[in-house]
Structures are given as structure tokens and as C-alpha cells.
Amino acid sequence: RRVHPERIGSDKRKFSIFKAVFLAATFAGIALVAFRYYEYRQAVAALEQNIRLTSAYTEQVITSLEEGGAMTFAELFSKITRNIEEVDALLVRTSVIEGADSVKEKSMTYMRRAQDVMRGVSISTRKMMDLSSAADRFKAAERRIESAEPGYQYSHARESRIEALNEQISALEAVKETRGTLSDMSIA
């Protein structure tokens, strides 16, 4: 120390500089992590909002079925189409959100499946309408049989009834199939 007194001051200065750089890097790292977390939370909040809207659109379609005679089939199908388009818009907004990619993919999957459920409701309703039409054709054929005279009229009415019965059976199977598919979509 007596020989090189300037070296002690230089070592202290080097240590002070190292300490300052280390502290600055630590604070910068903490600030970066905090900023990234803030961005992540903002992205997740936006995704949650889009999920809530998607759920609301899906719930509107499903509760429309429960309303019974409160709306026509045309209004129901129009509502389903409109809600699917709204979820499409939400999917586009979701696709551009940055900062939470794993959550974003799960959100988009949920939204697409919600659209599938809405489409399933539409298909199921159409199949129920087909079943109802087939039942009406069967009843009309029954009435023709009752009023037909023996011969050509009777045999033609009988063939119409068998045809209507086959249509009714096919429509019933289609309703069961679409209900199963809709159930699977809802679970997914």
C-alpha cells in the first residue's frame, strides 16, 4: 500500500463502476419483466373480453330455442347467422392481440367451437323442421287413404303414406344424429 497508494483508489473506483452497472442492469431487468407482465395482463384482459362476448352470443342462440313461439324460424336463423358473423369479427380482433400467444390460441379454439355449436343449433333446428314436414305429409297421406275409393286412388294414397313414413323415419334418424353431434360440440 505504501508503494502503490494510487492503485487502492483505482480498485475502489472499478468496484463502484461495476456495482453501478450491476444495479442498473438489475433494475432494467426488473423493469423489463414488469413491463412484459403488464403487456401480458393487458392481452389476457382483451382475450377475456372477447371470450365473454362469444359466450353471450352463443347463449343468445341457445336461449332463443327455449323461447318457443316467441320468434319465427327465419328470425332464429337470421340471429344465428348474425351471431356467427359477430364471433368472426371477434376472432379477427383476437388474432392481432400480442403478448399472450398460448392463451390466444386457446381463446380462438373456444371461439371457433362456439361457432360450431351455433351452426349445430341451426342444423338441428332444420332437421326438426324436416321431421315436422314429414309428419305432416304422413298425416295428409292418412287423410287421403280415409277418403279414397278402392282402386287407383287408394293404392296411390297408400304408396304416399309409405313414402311419407320412410321420410319421417329418415328425418327422425337425422334429428338424433344432429343432436348427438350438437352434444359433442357443446362438450368440446
Side-chain angles (χ1 to χ4, degrees), residues 37-57:
Y37 181 73
Y38 173 76
E39 282 183 331
Y40 174 80
R41 289 304 311 151
Q42 294 290 28
V44 169
L47 292 170
E48 286 174 350
Q49 180 64 26
N50 290 348
I51 290 294
R52 281 190 203 99
L53 288 170
T54 299
S55 296
Y57 289 130

Side-chain angles (χ1 to χ4, degrees), residues 50-185:
N50 290 348
I51 290 294
R52 281 190 203 99
L53 288 170
T54 299
S55 296
Y57 289 130
T58 306
E59 187 176 337
Q60 282 179 359
V61 167
I62 292 170
T63 56
S64 294
L65 288 176
E66 296 170 358
E67 292 173 5
M71 88 173 28
T72 65
F73 286 119
E75 291 170 335
L76 174 67
F77 295 135
S78 175
K79 181 180 235 178
I80 290 170
T81 301
R82 211 173 34 253
N83 286 3
I84 288 172
E85 290 170 353
E86 290 293 335
V87 175
D88 275 338
L90 290 172
L91 275 165
V92 170
R93 286 190 352 213
T94 300
S95 69
V96 296
I97 293 175
E98 296 290 329
D101 290 339
S102 64
V103 177
K104 179 170 71 171
E105 288 304 315
K106 291 176 184 175
S107 299
M108 291 178 75
T109 299
Y110 174 82
M111 296 164 94
R112 286 186 200 104
R113 289 185 177 163
Q115 285 181 316
D116 290 342
V117 168
M118 288 186 261
R119 287 184 190 101
V121 168
S122 177
I123 292 168
S124 178
T125 303
R126 289 181 195 280
K127 295 301 179 184
M128 287 182 349
M129 289 171 61
D130 291 345
L131 177 61
S132 178
S133 295
D136 290 344
R137 283 192 294 279
F138 180 77
K139 288 175 187 174
E142 285 285 317
R143 285 191 299 274
R144 279 196 302 274
I145 285 177
E146 291 172 4
S147 66
E149 294 184 23
Y152 176 75
Q153 282 184 338
Y154 182 79
S155 58
H156 181 66
R158 198 166 156 252
E159 287 175 20
S160 295
R161 183 181 71 174
I162 291 171
E163 215 173 274
L165 182 61
N166 287 335
E167 287 176 16
Q168 198 174 6
I169 291 169
S170 295
L172 183 61
E173 289 171 359
V175 166
K176 286 180 183 177
E177 182 182 329
T178 56
R179 285 295 172 110
T181 303
L182 180 58
S183 177
D184 293 343
M185 287 179 196

